[in-house]
Amino acid sequence: MAEHREFFYRRLHSLLGVVPIGLFMVQHLVINHFAVYGEESFNRAAGFMAGLPFVLLLEIFVIYLPILFHAILGVYIVFVARNNTRTYGFFRNWMFRLQRITGIVTLVFIAWHVWETRVQIGLGNADLDYSLMEGILTNPFMFWFYVIGVVSAVFHFANGLWSFLVSWGITQSPKSQKIATYAVIVVFFAVSYLGVRTLIQFAYGV
Amino acid sequence: MAEQSTVTFIITRQGGPDSTPYEETFEIPYRKNMNVISGLMEIRQNPVNAKGEKSTPVMWDMNCLEEVCGACSMVINGTARQSCAALVDQLEQPIRLEPMSTFPVIRDLIVDRDRMFDALKQVKAWIPIDGTHDLGPGPRMPEKKRQWAYELSKCMTCGVCLEACPNVNDKSNFIGPAAISQARLFNAHPTGEMNQSDRLNGLMEDGGIDGCGNSQNCVQVCPKGIPLTTSIAAMNRATNIQAFKNFFGSDNAH
Ligand code: SF4
Ligand code: FES
């Protein structure tokens, strides 16, 4: 592996973005969506996740380390691109650019989000329950910060899924790539709906 | 419609690899069916700029004059293309000419495309057939494969796809689309296939195929209409399989 280190890291980057990070994100938003069915059911769902066996190990190896690796290499990938949508305003080139923008936005959002929730719970300053999120999201500024963060993360995931299919050589023909584009658009709207619907529930109780 | 009598060129010039670029405007008499190169030839004959000052001839590269050699690529009104195939009548005036920004400038519009030839070496874009004795005729190629391989063989190393790629620049070491497609071409050849792992391993070296970020500009701009993104995706699959073979497999040759 030593001689092809860069290749290996880039493939790992692509893989981690989908498994486990992407899957975790979808799962996270599905669990949170239980808030829409009432405070009680959110607390039960979140409590179930927090009560999984080996939860700290799961968090470290399925969430923190993969995200850290994806983020560090990702920032480097953003840095080496010279965006040129002004001259070459093609759809995919815009997706390329947005993938980089949403990556950075998502990174800032996740850092803040983890600090405000998981870290505070870990330090014993907060409890994992409905009212924690309600307290954060009733502030309109934070509400919009979360909306932007969640939509960016979902975009980055959906478009990343498209790139994943190309990077792993699954979609090769232009036709299959086009169908994949439609498929990830559906993923984007469906998962965004889950996320934003939950935020509205916490912020406005509806 | 009034006959146009002059054509204006605004050219980004540069004396040598390390000199500062500057713009110079030229006005030349219009002729019917001119292309950009015939305009540059006109300037060469009488290098006087639009202010009437005596200047030096503008340097550019060319060879075939029919869009098959790739030497004459430059940025014309913002987009990279072949100057021999750029007709003045179809261009907005004034016509702006710049050297391609991805490559080091040698002088004026001449750029150094060495990195593209180095890339072809990295992926061994040739078929080794020399032996110490006559090896006899090689295997035949299926006609259907020949048809798509022929499309890939049209690449003229012109550099337009590298110029359009956001990941080919001085901060990155990405090999660029052209060489990836050439690796696919030579791996498709029944004799070339015997060395396919060498080419795939070349693509997996640092600065290889992994630098692709799927902006897909290359396939939009290639003057030869080469299906570059299909080639990249196909080589993505092939290199991944090769990586597994290298790690888990027992047969290194193939
Ligand atoms: S692939 Fe097309 S754009 Fe790229 S160098 Fe070859 S001919 Fe030029
Ligand atoms: S001179 Fe050969 S492509 Fe223009």
Side-chain angles (χ1 to χ4, degrees), chain B residues 37 60-73 82-85 156 158 224:
Chain B
I37 288 198
W60 77 97
D61 207 354
M62 63 170 170
N63 196 343
C64 68
L65 295 179
E66 53 178 354
E67 207 182 63
V68 288
C69 76
C72 68
S73 310
Q82 278 66 56
S83 50
C84 65
M156 52 186 177
C158 70
K224 292 295 174 183

Side-chain angles (χ1 to χ4, degrees), chain A residues 1 3-7 10-11 76-77 79-84 87-88 90 92-93 96 100 162-163 166-174 177, chain B residues 78 80 101-102 164 166-169 171-173 201 204 206-207 209-210 212-217 220-221 230 233-234 236-237 239-240 243 247:
Chain A
M1 220 48 91
E3 59 210 296
H4 296 150
R5 185 164 303 159
E6 203 180 283
F7 178 81
R10 283 296 293 258
R11 286 294 183 265
Y76 174 74
I77 292 171
F79 168 76
V80 297
R82 188 186 58 186
N83 279 294
N84 56 8
T87 326
Y88 302 100
F90 308 115
R92 272 284 146 218
N93 198 24
F96 174 93
R100 277 143 190 77
W162 186 89
S163 300
V166 178
S167 297
W168 288 86
I170 297 166
T171 48
Q172 297 187 15
S173 64
Q177 293 183 356
Chain B
S101 58
T102 294
N167 274 352
V168 175
N169 58 58
K171 290 182 284 187
S172 114
N173 55 3
N201 282 314
M204 286 150 67
D206 285 359
I209 192 171
D210 61 83
C212 175
N214 296 308
S215 82
Q216 301 207 332
N217 286 348
Q220 303 271 3
V221 299
T230 310
N236 274 333
R237 181 187 290 183
T239 47
N240 291 339
F247 188 73

Side-chain angles (χ1 to χ4, degrees), chain B residues 169-187:
Chain B
N169 58 58
D170 43 9
K171 290 182 284 187
S172 114
N173 55 3
F174 177 42
I175 191 168
I180 299 174
S181 188
Q182 289 304 294
R184 179 175 177 228
L185 168 66
F186 288 97
N187 278 0

